[in-house]
Amino acid sequence: MEKIQIRRAKQSDLDEIEKIYAGARAFMAENGNPTQWTNGYPKRVLLEEDIRNGNLYAVWSGCKLVGVFLFVIGEDPTYSYMEGGTWRSDTSYGTIHRIASCGSGVFAACLEFCRDKCDHIRVDTHADNKPMQHLAEKHGFSRRGIIYVENGTPRIAYDLL
């Protein structure tokens, strides 16, 4: 695999980004997680907003888009309440959301990119998303408890300091 590069996503990337997310939805459904990203989530209008806000990142290997993720530094309202645990620190943090890929090494590259910007990283995932849980734990994240996303469904919360 060629060297992975990460840059802010552009409007011109949207068609390829949507293909990455479609592949991720199919992968999750085939691997015991059919309910995390339903009904075409994330929708194009949300991705366009993320691009305008400068928070959506495209992961490239050579001239091929191989991944995408959202990274936001600052308070995430869904992380204000947690069941069964606590965050290890209340210092400023960055949150990785909606990471998806069609290649290996994307999570590690994403994490390295985010750690260069912030020492404290948080992530959450669905209880049925075993591959994401494995990646988080493999890369040193600590399982902290259960948070609830905007639609009220629970997610396993992790942090990395």
Side-chain angles (χ1 to χ4, degrees):
M1 179 184 265
E2 294 188 43
K3 183 175 176 358
I4 291 179
Q5 296 181 324
I6 298 175
R7 66 160 168 77
R8 281 197 163 94
K10 301 174 185 175
Q11 293 291 330
S12 59
D13 299 329
L14 275 172
D15 290 342
E16 291 301 311
I17 287 171
E18 287 185 312
K19 289 177 188 173
I20 297 283
Y21 280 122
R25 284 190 299 272
F27 175 84
M28 287 192 292
E30 292 165 5
N31 288 278
N33 185 18
T35 62
Q36 185 172 350
W37 288 351
T38 58
N39 302 316
Y41 180 85
K43 298 284 188 192
R44 189 176 187 104
V45 67
L46 179 59
L47 300 173
E48 290 170 339
E49 179 181 335
D50 294 337
I51 289 170
R52 279 192 306 276
N53 292 335
N55 296 325
L56 193 66
Y57 292 88
V59 183
W60 296 85
S61 178
C63 61
K64 181 177 181 346
L65 183 71
V66 295
V68 61
F69 63 94
L70 182 80
F71 184 62
V72 180
I73 297 174
E75 295 294 314
D76 185 321
T78 60
Y79 290 171
S80 62
Y81 171 76
M82 182 187 299
E83 286 181 357
T86 60
W87 297 110
R88 290 188 290 172
S89 173
D90 58 5
T91 59
S92 178
Y93 61 90
T95 305
I96 300 169
H97 283 300
R98 287 189 256 124
I99 185 166
S101 74
C102 65
S104 62
V106 170
F107 187 85
C110 164
L111 186 55
E112 182 180 342
F113 176 87
C114 295
R115 298 272 331 247
D116 283 345
K117 298 184 178 334
C118 187
D119 293 351
H120 183 181
I121 307 292
R122 293 180 181 177
V123 69
D124 64 82
T125 193
H126 195 282
D128 292 337
N129 194 339
K130 302 301 183 196
M132 183 63 186
Q133 292 170 45
H134 170 76
L135 281 171
E137 292 166 12
K138 174 184 171 182
H139 288 278
F141 281 84
S142 173
R143 189 181 288 220
R144 306 310 308 156
I146 303 296
I147 59 101
Y148 292 86
V149 294
E150 195 172 292
N151 70 7
T153 59
R155 297 289 186 268
I156 301 168
Y158 293 88
D159 70 5
L160 179 67
L161 296 171

